[in-house]
Amino acid sequence: MSQSESKFIPALGFSALTPFYDRLTRVALDEEGFKSRLIREACLAPGHRVLDLGAGTGTLTIMLKKAQPAAEIIGLDVDPNILAIAEKKAMASNLDIEFRRGSATAPPFEPGSFDRVVSSLVFHHLTTENKLRALRAAHALLKPGGELHIVDWGRAQNALMRGAFLAVQLFDGFETTTDNVRGRLPDFIAEAGFTSVAEVHHQMTVFGTLALYRASRGV
Ligand SMILES: C[S@@+](CC[C@H](N)C(=O)[O-])C[C@H]1O[C@@H](n2cnc3c(N)ncnc32)[C@H](O)[C@@H]1O
């Protein structure tokens, strides 16, 4: 990884807070609900190769493997400390999941080698330039007919949600989060070459509006 690729914003903005990430997400967000919805949208089949981009503590990665044990599930994250938590959790659940260290902007995999790329709460950690880089990389990683499913902070539905999102912006910074709250992710996904880009769901949370997007690599 180059020096710029190894620079990142940790899960809760500061590395010292990473051990509290799972507890906070479980309590403050409907984590089980929105991750389960993403998995349903992704329609995993036996033999699918699936990449969880920015896997973090591995909660979604583990849920994916449990939902489709006959799929190959790989979690990628740039932060070695959070990957150690993910690996421990997967081992405790006795699940065969590969975790790799690397950046979403230059993922260490062969082009055209995945059926699904999924990602949860990662794109608001990337600058505009890196969002586009990561999306172009995800497009290149997918096989023809492959799909992208992303859940992340989306356009605030109302003033209350816009106000609530300030807490996320204070932790993770304004530079990487403003595109999200302005609802620009779908445009970026299309700009990266995806087709059939759609926001398939959004929901209010105590930290703002969460949105679920799906897109196709095309054939
Ligand atoms: C808020 S956490 C989300 C973790 C997990 N996907 C979830 O839904 O719980 C954001 C994650 O993105 C990772 N991340 C940030 N920049 C990244 C990059 N350039 N490449 C890969 N992962 C990155 C962080 O290390 C962190 O684990």
Side-chain angles (χ1 to χ4, degrees), residues 1 4-13 18 21-22 25 31 34-35 52-61 76-80 82-83 102-106 119-126 130 134 151 153 172:
M1 253 191 304
S4 68
E5 283 159 19
S6 59
K7 267 178 59 184
F8 64 94
I9 299 172
L12 286 176
T18 298
Y21 179 79
D22 272 351
T25 359
E31 185 184 27
F34 74 78
K35 288 182 175 168
D52 181 7
L53 211 55
T57 60
T59 303
L60 175 63
T61 336
L76 180 80
D77 203 285
V78 73
D79 179 355
I82 209 159
L83 279 178
S103 174
T105 56
S119 184
S120 160
L121 295 172
V122 176
F123 279 82
H124 72 281
H125 285 242
L126 306 179
N130 281 342
V151 64
W153 303 111
D172 293 334

Side-chain angles (χ1 to χ4, degrees), residues 44-52 64 68 70-74 98 100 108-118 141-143 146-147:
L44 303 188
H48 270 174
R49 193 160 185 253
V50 182
L51 177 63
D52 181 7
L64 288 160
Q68 184 45 269
E72 184 186 355
I73 312 289
I74 300 169
E98 180 185 344
R100 291 275 289 270
F109 303 105
E110 287 294 307
S113 59
F114 287 93
D115 299 281
R116 299 285 184 270
V117 174
V118 305
L141 286 179
L142 283 165
K143 299 174 187 175
E147 292 174 8

